[in-house]
């Protein structure tokens, strides 16, 4: 039953991203990639291999809409690989074990660090691979930062709404 | 042997990660190069259908603007029809055309997916090989040049627009005829550059840049853009012009694919020793 919820999320996010968020543009820099929210909030104890494969499939679906080869698949798989390490470091720092990835469990500060770090890493890999030129590192960093902030706000908004509605 | 197996089991996640990452990157690079990226292409059936439906929906949102554009184009075309001319000669004219043969044919199409804010921009149109589209045909819009057809499926085709750094077409100054390559630099979807215009050419702000008949992709004289700035290149002998593109790539919708009936004849002639 729980798994069905995540599978539904998967399809909803792919369609939302492909049909709505890919067409949003503010000031030439901001494109939110809300679909990473699925990778952020999959259960803590999910099998790591399954997490990697989910991220890869999610990325490929987004790529099919954007015509971008394996760009999103590469970025998504990258953060899916880093997620367990970042979670372990954060839980060691806080001295508690996380049961569920909710603000109530993690605290606002840890949640902000966790979500923003993963979103930023994802966006940075994405924009860096897309530009693929070292001379454009400044633009890439700027785009990653602005878009990450935008995605982050969206992610927190959706998360709070999701938690509250239960 | 057992150690080897233990090694693989221990680092299985790392191997899975490297495998998936390698797959993704190799797809990315193969789709970026000019070769076919047969899989993962939005000209593929499923996506094409979804995007057509979605496009039909969103078309209503900018219907007013599109209508205005089409109305203008209609007016321009109507002023070219026979009815718009006052007959001056009363001698009968036969329309048995042995002096002129049709060279260009235009196939109308609609853009169902496009991007303009990335470095590598692409478009998908709802015409394919079934309608006579083939790779490397030119695509023009109501206001000017749009791009070149890249890949074709049965009912859809992908287009490399002018705002993709891999496309280079030839443009010339309308008044003086000097020509040079038109390239997009990857920053602003409204601007492009024309380089290698000789220094002795007369250039001024607002000059029109139009297509050049040499490329066999577009008919000569289709607008590309207007000059906004110009500067001497590092080699001191040529100008580089910054031009504002005629086509607004953030709102392009109705386009025409250009079919050149004499292309093969010209190519055969040029290739023969």
């Amino acid at each position: 039953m729980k798994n069905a919820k995540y599978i539904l999320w998967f399809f909803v996010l792919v369609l939302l991203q492909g049909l709505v968020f890919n067409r949003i543009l503010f000031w030439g820099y901001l494109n939110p990639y809300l679909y990473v929210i699925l990778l952020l909030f999959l259960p803590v104890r999910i099998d790591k291999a399954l997490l990697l494969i989910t991220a890869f499939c999610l990325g490929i679906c987004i790529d099919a809409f954007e015509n971008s080869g394996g760009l999103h698949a590469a970025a998504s798989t990258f953060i899916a690989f880093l997620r367990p390490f970042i979670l372990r470091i954060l839980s060691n720092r806080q001295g508690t074990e996380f049961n569920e990835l909710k603000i109530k469990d993690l605290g606002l500060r840890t949640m902000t660090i966790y979500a923003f770090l993963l979103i930023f890493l994802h966006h940075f890999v994405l924009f860096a691979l897309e530009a693929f030129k070292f001379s454009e590192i400044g633009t890439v960093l700027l785009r990653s930062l602005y878009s990450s902030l935008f995605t982050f706000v969206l992610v927190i908004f959706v998360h709070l709404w999701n938690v509250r509605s239960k | 042997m057992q150690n080897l197996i233990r090694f693989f089991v221990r680092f299985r996640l790392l191997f899975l990660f490297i495998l998936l990452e390698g797959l993704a990157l190799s797809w990315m690079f193969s789709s970026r190069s000019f070769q076919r990226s047969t899989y993962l292409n939005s000209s593929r059936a499923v996506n094409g259908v979804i995007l057509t439906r979605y496009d039909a929906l969103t078309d209503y949102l900018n219907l007013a603007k599109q209508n205005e554009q089409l109305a203008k184009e209609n007016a321009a075309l109507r002023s070219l029809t026979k009815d718009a001319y006052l007959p001056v000669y009363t001698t009968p004219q036969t329309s048995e055309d042995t002096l002129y043969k049709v060279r260009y044919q235009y196939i109308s199409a609609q853009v169902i997916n496009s991007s303009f804010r990335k470095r590598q921009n692409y478009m998908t149109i709802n015409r394919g090989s079934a309608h006579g589209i083939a790779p490397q045909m030119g695509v023009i819009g109501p206001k000017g040049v749009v791009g070149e057809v890249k890949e074709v499926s049965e009912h859809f085709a992908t287009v490399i627009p002018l705002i993709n750094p891999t496309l280079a077409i030839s443009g010339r100054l309308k008044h003086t005829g000097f020509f040079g390559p038109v390239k997009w630099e990857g920053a602003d979807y409204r601007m492009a550059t024309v380089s290698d215009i000789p220094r002795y050419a007369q250039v001024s702000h607002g000059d029109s840049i139009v297509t050049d008949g040499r490329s066999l992709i577009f008919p000569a004289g289709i607008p590309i853009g207007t000059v906004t700035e110009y500067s001497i290149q590092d080699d001191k002998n040529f100008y580089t012009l910054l031009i504002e593109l005629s086509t607004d790539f953030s709102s392009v919708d109705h386009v025409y694919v250009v079919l050149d009936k004499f292309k093969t004849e010209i190519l055969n002639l040029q290739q023969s020793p």
Side-chain angles (χ1 to χ4, degrees), chain B residues 107 204 240:
Chain B
I107 302 157
S204 57
T240 293

Side-chain angles (χ1 to χ4, degrees), chain B residues 67-238:
Chain B
N67 273 347
E68 194 188 325
Q69 248 182 45
L70 288 173
K72 267 188 198 155
E73 201 192 358
N74 271 346
L77 289 175
R78 201 160 282 188
S79 63
L80 294 175
T81 55
K82 218 174 150 194
D83 299 343
Y85 292 88
L86 186 74
V88 179
Y89 295 105
T90 45
T91 46
Q93 290 190 355
T94 50
S95 63
E96 204 175 77
D97 242 342
T98 47
L99 290 177
Y100 293 98
K101 267 187 174 173
V102 177
R103 174 159 179 194
Y104 295 107
Q105 274 191 341
Y106 299 88
I107 302 157
S108 83
Q110 207 172 10
V111 177
I112 58 163
N113 189 23
S114 69
S115 64
F116 59 90
R117 55 165 196 264
K118 295 184 204 155
R119 274 193 54 81
Q120 310 275 339
N121 294 293
Y122 289 101
M123 270 181 198
T124 311
I125 56 174
N126 63 351
R127 293 283 183 272
S129 54
H131 310 95
I133 312 277
Q136 273 151 36
M137 281 183 175
V139 180
I140 60 177
K143 291 182 186 164
V145 167
V146 172
E148 186 188 317
V149 174
K150 183 192 178 201
E151 281 168 48
V152 175
S153 68
E154 202 185 340
H155 296 105
F156 298 98
T158 51
V159 174
I160 316 176
L162 208 51
I163 50 167
N164 185 320
T166 53
L167 184 73
I169 63 172
S170 178
R172 85 185 142 82
L173 279 160
K174 195 176 179 182
H175 299 299
T176 50
F178 292 102
F179 64 97
V182 181
K183 282 227 106 180
W184 184 63
E185 305 292 344
D188 188 343
Y189 68 90
R190 284 165 303 191
M191 309 303 266
T193 59
V194 185
S195 49
D196 301 346
I197 299 293
R199 206 177 165 170
Y200 52 84
Q202 293 276 322
V203 184
S204 57
H205 293 279
D207 276 358
S208 301
I209 303 287
V210 296
T211 51
D212 193 49
R214 288 173 181 81
S215 63
L216 296 180
I217 297 173
F218 299 104
I222 306 282
I224 298 176
T226 50
V227 176
T228 58
E229 264 175 52
Y230 53 95
S231 54
I232 294 284
Q233 288 176 13
D234 293 338
D235 55 23
K236 303 280 186 234
N237 289 323
F238 296 98

